[in-house]
Amino acid sequence: MNIMRFLTPKSSVSYLDSAATVRNGFEKMTYHKFRAIPVVSSDGVYVGTVTEGDLLRAMINNQGVSDLRDHEKVCIRDVIRPDWNPPVSITCTVEQLFNRITEQNFVPVVDDRGVFIGIVTRKAVITFLIDSYEQCKQ
């Protein structure tokens, strides 16, 4: 089985450009009610995932910044934890994907060049497993 069956393509995923600011990230995540969002460079390469906690730490650590508008000076790529939520390759096995999805709400998926092509959500995997179970019961 191929992991493409679980993929939500990039065109249907909200993500941030790596040049976006902390303020941009905060506004987008608040609007969509996300706790984490993928970050992609201008050439499409997956850079990482930024979380609410990353943004809050950036806001707290920038002392002297008293207004949300001042966070337009702090770039998202500077607050990302590079080792958190690494992507899987589109060629990874379903078993590898299942192991990763147990640890996070979504798994970023990249092609062989590291270009972001979408995400696999925990919901997509659970829905598949429920459907498979229902078919086995019949």
Side-chain angles (χ1 to χ4, degrees), residues 30 38 103 133:
T30 300
E103 300 171 10
Y133 175 74

Side-chain angles (χ1 to χ4, degrees), residues 55-87:
L55 298 179
L56 290 172
R57 275 187 293 282
M59 294 170 80
I60 290 168
N61 291 336
N62 288 310
Q63 283 135 10
V65 177
S66 59
D67 192 313
L68 184 58
R69 287 172 285 170
D70 291 335
H71 291 285
E72 292 176 354
K73 300 171 188 155
V74 181
C75 192
I76 287 289
R77 71 177 155 259
D78 297 331
V79 301
I80 293 174
R81 291 173 288 150
D83 57 337
W84 191 80
N85 203 14

